[in-house]
């Protein structure tokens, strides 16, 4: 019977396209859905419960990963403090050496100080970034900054040593000429 009915509907489809069911039919369908039909509201309740449970799970998972991040940050900070103090000691020693050269005959220009101030400003920005985002890339950038400072200081020391050698040669030739 089902096959004949399907064939009848398909063959007469165009006759059914312009027909609409009466209001009486829609009222019967509505009453069956609201009272005697199946109630699917439980599906929405289950979906809401699953959503709530998964949200709570993900929230606690994220909180746990924050604890891991804090532990990682602590490890990065401890390691970096040692490295930072080592390089700052080298930088301090080299600055002291440069200012030992500062005499009337060889005054030190401030151009390298300006470079060091710019590097220091960049360093402070990177330190703030390390507090927010503790990562190896930020630590590497901080170390590179300190190495560049050391390189600037080494360049200045080389320049001062060369000018001192030239000055000694000039003084020696002046002494030879006066004899």
């Amino acid at each position: 019977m089902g096959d004949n009915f399907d064939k009848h509907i398909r063959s007469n489809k165009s006759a059914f396209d312009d027909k609409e069911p009466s209001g009486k039919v829609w009222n019967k369908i509505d009453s069956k859905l609201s009272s005697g039909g199946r109630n699917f509201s439980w599906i929405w309740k289950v979906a809401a419960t699953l959503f709530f449970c998964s949200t709570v799970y993900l929230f606690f998972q994220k909180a746990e990963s924050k604890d891991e991040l804090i532990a990682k940050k602590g490890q990065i900070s401890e390691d970096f403090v040692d490295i930072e103090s080592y390089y700052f000691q080298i930088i301090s020693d080299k600055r002291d050496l440069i200012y030992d050269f500062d005499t009337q005959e060889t005054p030190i220009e401030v151009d390298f100080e300006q470079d060091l101030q710019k590097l220091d400003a960049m360093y402070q920005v990177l330190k703030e970034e390390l507090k927010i985002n503790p990562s190896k890339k930020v630590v590497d950038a901080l170390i590179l900054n300190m190495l560049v400072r050391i390189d600037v200081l080494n360049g200045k020391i080389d320049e001062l040593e060369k000018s001192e050698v030239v000055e000694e040669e000039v003084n020696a030739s002046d002494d030879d000429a006066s004899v």
Side-chain angles (χ1 to χ4, degrees), residues 11-77:
S11 63
N12 296 313
K13 181 181 183 291
S14 61
F16 292 111
D17 281 345
D18 63 341
K19 306 291 185 209
E20 286 189 28
S22 68
K24 185 178 176 184
V25 173
W26 284 118
N27 288 336
K28 278 186 175 182
I29 291 171
D30 185 45
S31 67
K32 283 190 177 189
L33 285 175
S34 61
S35 63
R38 291 187 176 153
N39 187 358
F40 292 107
S41 64
W42 65 273
I43 290 177
W44 290 108
K45 291 176 185 174
V46 169
T49 303
L50 287 173
F51 177 75
F52 176 73
C53 291
S54 63
T55 302
V56 168
Y57 172 76
L58 291 173
F59 174 76
F60 284 114
Q61 194 73 1
K62 187 171 184 169
E64 187 176 299
S65 68
K66 280 186 180 179
D67 291 341
E68 291 172 3
L69 181 64
I70 289 169
K72 180 182 172 186
K73 179 181 176 182
Q75 182 61 37
I76 287 176
S77 295

Side-chain angles (χ1 to χ4, degrees), residues 13 21 37 41 50 58 63 70 91 139 146-147 153 160 171 173:
K13 181 181 183 291
S41 64
L50 287 173
L58 291 173
I70 289 169
I91 291 169
V139 170
M146 289 184 284
L147 289 173
L153 293 169
L160 291 170
N171 288 341
S173 65

Side-chain angles (χ1 to χ4, degrees), residues 75-128:
Q75 182 61 37
I76 287 176
S77 295
E78 288 174 18
D79 293 344
F80 181 68
V81 167
D82 294 338
I83 294 169
E84 184 181 42
S85 64
Y86 171 75
Y87 282 123
F88 275 163
Q89 183 61 47
I90 293 174
I91 291 169
S92 176
D93 291 346
K94 291 191 180 287
R95 274 189 161 176
D96 291 344
L97 184 61
I98 287 172
Y99 287 111
D100 286 345
F101 277 101
D102 192 15
T103 62
Q104 292 290 343
E105 297 84 32
T106 57
I108 297 180
E109 298 111 26
V110 291
D111 60 335
F112 87 99
E113 279 292 340
Q114 291 171 347
D115 292 341
L116 291 176
Q117 287 173 353
K118 289 176 188 174
L119 286 166
D120 189 48
M122 285 187 253
Y123 187 83
Q124 295 306 320
V125 169
L126 288 169
K127 282 285 276 201
E128 289 300 316

